Amino acid sequence: MVSQIQPPTQPEVIYPDSDGQPVANNTIQFGWIVEIKQNIEWLFADNPNVFVAGDLFWYPVEGRNKIVNAPDVLVVLGRPKGDRLCYQQWKEEGVAPQVVFEILSPSNTQTEMDKKLLFYDRYGVEEYYIYDPEKNNLRGWLRSEDGLDVISQMEDWVSPRLKIRFTPSPEGLQLYRPDGERFLTYTEISRNAEQERQRAEQERQRAEQAEQARRDAIPRLLQMNLSIEQIAQALALSVEEVRTLAQE
C-alpha cells in the first residue's frame, strides 16, 4: 500500500495589533491626534463607507507581518465603518488608506520619518501630512504619477480627498471643514453641546410659559363677555382649542 505524503502545513501568520508603545508621547501630540481623528469622523458621520482610525496597525501585504505601520490618523474612503484590531489590506478589497496624518513628537527621528514616507509612498497613500506642534510646522505630500510629491504651498491647502482646508497661523495649525467651520477640540464640542442644550431648555420653558399664559387668559376674556371666536383670534388659537381649554 502506497501512502501519500501530505504537504507540510504553513504556519499561521500572526498580525499583532500592538507593539506595547503608547499612542502618543505627550499630551500635545495626543490632543492633535484625537482632534483630527474625531473631526474627520464627524465630517463623514453620515457616510457608512468611510473608515477613520488612530494609531491602528496597517498591514499592506498578506503573509508579511513585518511590513507594518501605525499612522497617527488614517482615512480609508470606500471601506465600511466598524471596529478592527488592525487594518489588513487584503481583507479590505485591497484598498489602501488614501489619507494619512502624522503628528511629530520630540522623540521622532528624521530616519524614522524618512522610513514612514517611503512606506506610505510604496503602499499607495495618496495624501500624507506631517504636523510638528512644537515648531508649528506643516508639511504635505500628494501622489502623482511618480509617487508622493512634496506640496510646495501648504497655506490654505485643500485636501483633494477630504476637502478640508489647512491654514497655518502663528497660533498654530487651523483645520476647516468644507462648510467653513473650524475643527473643534472635544472640550469645545462639549461646551457647544451644553450651550445648545441650555438654549433648547430655555426655549421649552418659554413655550410652556406662553402656553400657560394663554390658558390663564381664556377665563378672564370670557368674563369680559368676549365670544369664543374673538378669544381664538386674539390668542391665535383655533375655536376648538379655546373650547377645550375653557372646559379644563
Side-chain angles (χ1 to χ4, degrees), residues 144-203:
S144 68
E145 294 181 356
D146 300 321
L148 287 174
D149 288 337
V150 173
I151 301 170
S152 59
Q153 178 56 262
M154 288 301 300
E155 181 74 29
D156 286 329
W157 170 261
V158 176
S159 160
R161 277 288 193 171
L162 306 181
K163 308 304 180 187
I164 62 176
R165 176 164 53 91
F166 298 77
T167 304
S169 71
E171 294 75 29
L173 175 64
Q174 300 289 337
L175 298 173
Y176 293 87
R177 296 163 50 96
D179 60 8
E181 291 293 321
R182 180 175 61 86
F183 274 27
L184 301 175
T185 64
Y186 179 78
T187 300
E188 290 172 323
I189 292 167
S190 298
R191 185 183 298 119
N192 290 347
E194 176 61 20
Q195 291 173 348
E196 185 63 31
R197 187 196 67 77
Q198 291 177 357
R199 282 194 293 268
E201 177 62 19
Q202 290 170 356
E203 287 296 327

